[in-house]
Amino acid sequence: MTPEVNRNGLNRYIPEPVRRQIRRECGFGCVCCGLAIATYEHIDPPFKDAYEHDPSKMAFLCGGCHDRVTRRVWSKQKILDARRNPRCVVNGKCHDSFDISVKDPVLWVGPNRISGMRKIFSVDDDILLSIEPPDNPGEPYLISGRFFDSSGNLLFEINRNEWIGKIENWDIETIGPTIIIRTAPSTISLRITVLPPSGIAIERADMFFKHARFIVNKYEAQLLSWSGGGIRIQGREIKGTDYRATLLVAHRDGTCSLGGGEGEFSILPPPKRYPGTIRKRMPIGRNSKCVCGSGLKFKNCCGQEKTGN
């Protein structure tokens, strides 16, 4: 079993402010290759000899690059050089990919389970979230999307199963299968959990694009227009027939529509319990720390969201 402290009594646990500083300075991805799923590595001195978790002497490394260092295929000097000029900072983005390898992928949007549809959300002619059939038989289906904050700034992209995080974000954190993007302290603007091999779950979002606002939480998915109109879907099984249908559309005239274009779909009763992280770990006490990771009490965070009629 790995000891919890090193020879100098330093605990293996790295405080969150230190982890966040490392993530931000490294561009939210591995300093060598840019992959966003990474760990925190003591460069010099190594953890066994360290007296403190000093961000300036640590780096963000993906599993593959970390393994090369551990096996002494790469030197610590290589990591030090990469730490001074991180790949993500050079490229302006961190990235990774989703495992979508089933015939009929599923996209959870809040408590709604969606399958068999190509366009999930669009504004005018801009498709902001979609599932496309494979280019060739036997290849994976392809999820694409663009996610913005409440001011219309681009936060996160999915391009045919590859996801890209913008390093201008205040923080991008990956906890297990969950990606959390914060635009300010205690402000989660996007939360996505991967559900391999079947799809992904958009657990939380509040985005503005052109003249429309799209809100996702554990209770509903809601599309609002500049005119005050809108559509909300609260826990439904939504199935398309031939991958041509569009679910939610915001139009230039301020109206919103459920469905549009070709293709048909069915809206069925609520699906089985959402398989993601939020509902499984929901605290009972309103004064408990919220499971979304904001650091606030549940009653002041997700617990203050209200369901519609």
Side-chain angles (χ1 to χ4, degrees):
M1 181 178 294
T2 303
E4 292 299 315
V5 297
N6 69 3
R7 65 178 65 180
N8 299 315
L10 180 65
N11 196 294
R12 189 170 293 275
Y13 173 76
I14 304 172
E16 174 54 28
V18 175
R19 299 200 306 269
R20 182 179 299 118
Q21 181 177 342
I22 295 168
R23 291 196 299 268
R24 295 178 70 178
E25 290 179 354
C26 296
F28 307 113
C30 175
V31 294
C32 295
C33 69
L35 287 178
I37 309 300
T39 58
Y40 307 90
E41 167 78 356
H42 282 265
I43 308 172
D44 185 23
F47 173 72
K48 64 184 180 67
D49 298 323
Y51 285 92
E52 62 178 335
H53 297 295
D54 183 349
S56 67
K57 298 178 181 179
M58 299 174 67
F60 213 36
L61 287 180
C62 73
C65 293
H66 183 274
D67 189 55
R68 288 178 174 87
V69 177
T70 301
R71 294 173 181 271
R72 299 182 181 179
V73 176
W74 284 357
S75 67
K76 290 282 189 176
Q77 185 61 48
K78 178 180 177 67
I79 307 305
L80 282 170
D81 292 342
R83 177 68 169 85
R84 297 187 186 100
N85 198 28
R87 176 66 64 88
C88 295
V89 175
V90 173
N91 294 338
K93 62 182 181 181
C94 62
H95 68 99
D96 218 299
S97 60
F98 296 133
D99 171 16
I100 311 295
S101 55
V102 297
K103 181 178 179 181
D104 296 307
V106 172
L107 183 62
W108 287 83
V109 180
N112 305 291
R113 186 180 189 274
I114 303 169
S115 61
M117 301 193 67
R118 180 171 182 264
K119 303 175 186 177
I120 312 302
F121 169 45
S122 65
V123 178
D124 302 332
D125 296 326
D126 289 287
I127 304 171
L128 297 186
L129 185 58
S130 67
I131 305 176
E132 301 176 32
D135 295 328
N136 301 296
E139 294 182 352
Y141 279 69
L142 303 167
I143 295 178
S144 295
R146 287 180 289 160
F147 298 86
F148 301 79
D149 63 17
S150 57
S151 299
N153 301 308
L154 183 65
L155 296 175
F156 187 82
E157 293 181 81
I158 306 172
N159 183 10
R160 297 166 69 87
N161 294 345
E162 181 184 13
W163 64 263
I164 300 168
K166 308 291 288 184
I167 66 168
E168 292 83 4
N169 288 307
W170 187 79
D171 188 27
I172 302 176
E173 183 179 18
T174 56
I175 304 175
T178 301
I179 306 162
I180 302 171
I181 296 182
R182 296 178 178 88
T183 50
S186 302
T187 303
I188 295 178
S189 295
L190 182 65
R191 180 186 177 108
I192 294 177
T193 291
V194 299
L195 305 170
S198 61
I200 66 172
I202 301 168
E203 298 179 333
R204 189 165 174 171
D206 186 355
M207 57 185 282
F208 182 80
F209 181 76
K210 289 185 175 179
H211 48 77
R213 187 180 182 189
F214 188 52
I215 301 171
V216 178
N217 54 47
K218 63 181 180 292
Y219 299 118
E220 64 186 3
Q222 187 175 11
L223 176 62
L224 302 172
S225 72
W226 61 265
S227 67
I231 297 171
R232 60 178 55 181
I233 307 176
Q234 298 173 306
R236 291 293 183 265
E237 176 90 21
I238 303 168
K239 292 185 175 182
T241 57
D242 57 8
Y243 277 92
R244 292 186 300 165
T246 300
L247 181 59
L248 294 171
V249 184
H251 303 282
R252 291 184 179 87
D253 61 4
T255 60
C256 299
S257 62
L258 185 64
E262 301 179 336
E264 298 179 350
F265 62 91
S266 301
I267 299 181
L268 306 173
K272 295 181 179 180
R273 181 177 290 269
Y274 165 62
T277 57
I278 291 181
R279 290 195 177 186
K280 287 183 179 180
R281 295 161 40 201
M282 186 63 66
I284 297 176
R286 286 175 53 75
N287 289 315
S288 300
K289 184 175 289 188
C290 190
V291 295
C292 73
S294 66
L296 301 176
K297 291 182 178 180
F298 174 60
K299 66 182 181 182
N300 297 325
C301 192
C302 293
Q304 68 181 349
E305 300 175 64
K306 306 295 183 182
T307 53
N309 297 320

